Amino acid sequence: MIIVESKQHKQIAIKIAQIKETDYTSDKGVDVRTKTQAIEVEVDPNAFGHAKQQLAASTKTPYIAVPNKLVKQAVDATEGTRFGVMNENAKIVKRGRGR
């Protein structure tokens, strides 16, 4: 299955990578990695499950980064999990937990 990257996804991923002073990896795997965080960008609420799968194996603190308009949905979708949520400006809305 080929997933076409949306323009919004790419813009948010690049922006967060710049804020975090790291690189955006558009190939397979987690979008943005720092020393302590694994950040998966999602612009479609139907893909939150996919983001959780991408982040599941990470030993870093996992975050799903979403556009501002999807923050509440992302927080609801990660309720009771170790996954954190950040907005499109890398502001942490819900803290994630490492392993």
Side-chain angles (χ1 to χ4, degrees), residues 6-19:
S6 79
K7 191 173 179 180
Q8 184 184 28
H9 176 278
K10 187 173 187 173
Q11 287 172 333
I12 292 172
I14 290 170
K15 182 179 189 178
I16 289 174
Q18 288 172 339
I19 290 167

Side-chain angles (χ1 to χ4, degrees), residues 36-90:
T36 60
Q37 298 174 332
I39 304 164
E40 185 66 22
V41 176
E42 285 304 341
V43 296
D44 179 357
N46 296 321
F48 291 164
H50 175 261
K52 290 181 196 176
Q53 287 177 327
Q54 284 282 90
L55 294 165
S58 180
T59 56
K60 299 176 182 190
T61 305
Y63 283 92
I64 299 174
V66 298
N68 290 331
K69 67 180 184 193
L70 296 180
V71 166
K72 184 179 182 332
Q73 282 179 273
V75 169
D76 291 346
T78 58
E79 191 69 40
T81 69
R82 71 185 196 101
F83 301 101
V85 176
M86 63 176 61
N87 72 5
E88 62 193 53
N89 299 308

